[in-house]
Amino acid sequence: MTLPENLPVDFTAYNHLTFLPLGRKNKSIRSVGSKHTKGLLGRLNDYFERAMNELSQEDIVLFQTFLYGSHRGGFPVAIDKNEDVYPHFWKPTSFLWKEYNKNRGIPIHHDEFYSQDFTVLTKNELENCLGSIMKDYMFCARIHDSSKEEWIQHINKCFFKHPLISLYHRNADVIEAIEQSKKSPLLFIMKNPEQIAFWRNRIEIIMRPFRSLPYTAFERGFSDTEDTVLTVHGEKEIIRLTSENRGLAVTYDVANDAISLDDEYNVVLAAKRLATTQRQFEEIIDENEEVIQKLLVFFKWKSLLKHHEVHIKEIQDKLCSLTTYQLNQRQVLQENDPFLSFIQKVLQVKTPNAKLEVDSIQWFSQWNFPDVTLLQETNKFTCCMDPNEREKKLTEISAKIENELHKQRQDLLSTPLKIGQITFDSNQMLRLLTLIDTLKNTETQQSYVQILEGVSTNSIRQKELDKIPAFGLLSSVKRKRIVTYLQELQNYQLLKKEKKGFSLTPKGEAIRRLFEEESRRI
């Protein structure tokens, strides 16, 4: 960024200072104030003359270019609307990567000024203060050629070169495997529980470096963050980068082109501990051959069932239909059939990637059992490992479900449904569910009740709702009872209450279609 050409004002008497109008409405400077002010400006000018003489020609060009582009200028001093010297110096970050309106003065933002009032300082105090400020300005001058976004990208690249972050990415699969294995329920059926307990306790120390940052920070750094804040610290020649959302903060050393984390660790030691932890756990795995063999059998089961995906999908769909036509709670079929129950549980288990080396910690960590007792059940179905026997068993199960499904449908059609003190046959249920399907959320609950009650209001007649088959269906029932019946139908999950009126649930719609098909058949 360079200041607009028309804003800076130079006075011959102060050839190493440049004056800038402070305040949006303050667009120009005609003179610079009192005798006291001129004395102060003289001291400032002398200091910056010496400071500039100590700089190399290259640094002088950097300073000039940073603030004024191709134009010459001195150290910026703010002049307020009363043409008095503003008693605070601008921070160089006020000009870094910013644009100012050429038709207005520079706005007053107090956080963009150093807090020290330089007008009250002694000569020595002033020189010390200006020495520190010049370091800040020269630092910003050296970094201004690259944009803020370019610096963020560069610092992000340096982040991934940091020894800890680099170690994490070289061993990300092992780190994840250790974290997952620590929580595995399989540990509770393995031998040597004392050794396992010791290993788990050691993890709290060993994993500390890899838990010092959130997972997304390790994985993504500052990539794709919208809240990244870049802060320049000129005197220390560092840039601070933070992202609150990602829980990440780093310090970038410009001179050494390297970043440091808030929490640093001995990376060599961390690498050794990580390798030892992996080796120790894989020794535990080797000592539990019986468990590994059971896992391999289970892995084979998972593979075998893939050959019957279509058949199993049909069975699962039929099981869903069973619950659709089930109004009263009955025992589900998979609870009665052990092999079906076994299949359902097998399908819920997450197995490792087949390409992973068996007995490795990565392989072990990817097992995810809802219930490890399932490992004991594989022996019960050894006969079903034969493809013909397996297909035969699945066909029998499918036929059982189909029979149960047919029975449930027939029960619904032939057995009246009792709600409260009223019994509904299939025809009455069809009329009631069709009413919901027809009106949906176009009518209020009160209108539904009036229709079922058979109350012929002017509004109902105008809408011809008195011609609906369900009109007067519950004419013998008190109004408050009708509201209760509608609530009962919600409990049966046949309909749901909307902001206005009701609508059929998928279960209610399926049962309505069943009654409708039966009505047409008759």
Side-chain angles (χ1 to χ4, degrees), residues 336-446:
N336 292 330
D337 190 292
F339 186 59
L340 178 57
S341 176
F342 175 71
I343 289 174
Q344 296 289 76
K345 291 174 183 176
V346 169
L347 294 174
Q348 293 173 24
V349 174
K350 180 187 173 186
T351 54
N353 187 323
K355 295 179 181 179
L356 289 173
E357 182 182 351
V358 175
D359 296 357
S360 68
I361 191 171
Q362 293 95 326
W363 181 82
F364 181 89
S365 69
Q366 289 188 10
W367 284 97
N368 190 343
F369 279 84
D371 183 0
V372 291
T373 59
L374 183 59
L375 281 174
Q376 313 301 328
E377 296 185 28
T378 54
N379 294 334
K380 299 177 185 177
F381 304 103
T382 306
C383 63
C384 294
M385 296 193 86
D386 176 77
N388 295 328
E389 185 63 30
R390 200 163 53 249
E391 185 63 34
K392 177 184 173 185
K393 194 73 176 170
L394 289 171
T395 303
E396 288 175 359
I397 291 171
S398 184
K400 279 183 185 177
I401 297 174
E402 190 61 52
N403 289 337
E404 179 70 14
L405 196 54
H406 178 73
K407 184 176 182 302
Q408 281 199 358
R409 286 170 175 160
Q410 291 305 309
D411 284 350
L412 263 178
L413 293 170
S414 60
T415 306
L417 177 64
K418 188 169 184 180
I419 303 178
Q421 298 177 348
I422 292 194
T423 301
F424 292 87
D425 60 26
S426 59
N427 179 265
Q428 291 172 319
M429 281 299 296
L430 174 61
R431 289 161 63 191
L432 181 56
L433 295 176
T434 302
L435 170 68
I436 307 294
D437 185 55
T438 303
L439 300 185
K440 294 185 175 63
N441 58 356
T442 61
E443 297 294 329
T444 62
Q445 176 176 291
Q446 183 181 3

Side-chain angles (χ1 to χ4, degrees), residues 17 32 43 58-59 87 114 137 174 211 226 295 474:
L17 301 178
V32 282
R43 291 194 298 276
E58 182 183 358
D59 282 348
Y114 290 102
Y137 269 82
V174 175
R211 294 173 179 172
E226 296 180 357
L295 289 174
L474 300 177

Side-chain angles (χ1 to χ4, degrees), residues 23 48 64-65 88 135 197 261 263 275 286 290 342 365 375 385 395 397 400 418 433 449-450 494:
F48 285 112
Q64 298 271 340
T65 307
H88 301 276
K135 287 183 179 179
L261 304 172
D263 296 317
D286 290 341
E290 184 181 348
F342 175 71
S365 69
L375 281 174
M385 296 193 86
T395 303
I397 291 171
K400 279 183 185 177
K418 188 169 184 180
L433 295 176
V449 171
Q450 288 175 336
L494 297 179

Side-chain angles (χ1 to χ4, degrees), residues 53-245:
N53 288 335
E54 292 173 4
L55 293 178
S56 66
Q57 187 59 37
E58 182 183 358
D59 282 348
I60 292 173
V61 171
L62 274 175
F63 180 85
Q64 298 271 340
T65 307
F66 166 50
L67 291 172
Y68 309 109
S70 59
H71 304 285
R72 183 191 176 285
F75 190 84
V77 177
I79 302 297
D80 64 21
K81 63 181 180 179
N82 297 320
E83 298 192 332
D84 289 328
V85 174
Y86 189 70
H88 301 276
F89 290 118
W90 270 295
K91 295 176 183 177
T93 49
S94 308
F95 309 110
L96 187 63
W97 307 313
K98 291 185 180 178
E99 295 291 337
Y100 288 109
N101 191 324
K102 67 179 182 179
N103 297 318
R104 294 181 177 178
I106 299 177
I108 303 173
H109 295 145
H110 294 292
D111 60 327
E112 294 185 346
F113 290 89
Y114 290 102
S115 59
Q116 178 62 60
D117 180 346
F118 63 81
T119 64
V120 298
L121 298 177
T122 65
K123 181 180 179 181
N124 288 338
E125 289 172 339
L126 181 60
E127 290 200 356
N128 290 334
C129 175
L130 294 174
S132 174
I133 288 173
M134 270 304 289
K135 287 183 179 179
D136 289 351
Y137 269 82
M138 287 311 302
F139 179 71
C140 288
R142 292 186 183 103
I143 68 172
H144 89 282
D145 274 346
S146 296
S147 68
K148 180 179 178 181
E149 290 70 27
E150 288 171 335
W151 275 112
I152 291 174
Q153 290 174 12
H154 179 71
I155 295 170
N156 196 39
K157 287 180 182 178
C158 291
F159 169 78
F160 288 105
K161 293 177 184 177
H162 185 277
L164 178 63
I165 309 305
S166 180
L167 175 65
Y168 170 87
H169 281 276
R170 290 197 306 272
N171 297 275
D173 59 333
V174 175
I175 293 167
E176 176 65 17
I178 290 172
E179 293 284 21
Q180 293 302 321
S181 296
K182 177 181 178 289
K183 300 180 288 186
S184 174
L186 291 170
L187 296 178
F188 298 101
I189 62 170
M190 297 173 80
K191 294 188 296 185
N192 298 327
E194 296 84 2
Q195 186 181 359
I196 292 171
F198 174 79
W199 181 84
R200 294 179 75 195
N201 289 334
R202 285 286 295 164
I203 286 175
E204 299 307 313
I205 299 171
I206 289 153
M207 298 303 290
R208 199 171 292 156
F210 308 107
R211 294 173 179 172
S212 61
L213 295 175
Y215 169 79
T216 51
F218 272 110
E219 288 289 326
R220 303 288 297 154
F222 291 95
S223 304
D224 308 319
T225 56
E226 296 180 357
D227 71 327
T228 300
V229 176
L230 184 151
T231 311
V232 174
H233 298 272
E235 190 171 359
K236 297 179 181 178
E237 296 194 346
I238 60 172
I239 297 174
R240 182 85 171 154
L241 214 59
T242 59
S243 170
E244 187 175 341
N245 289 343

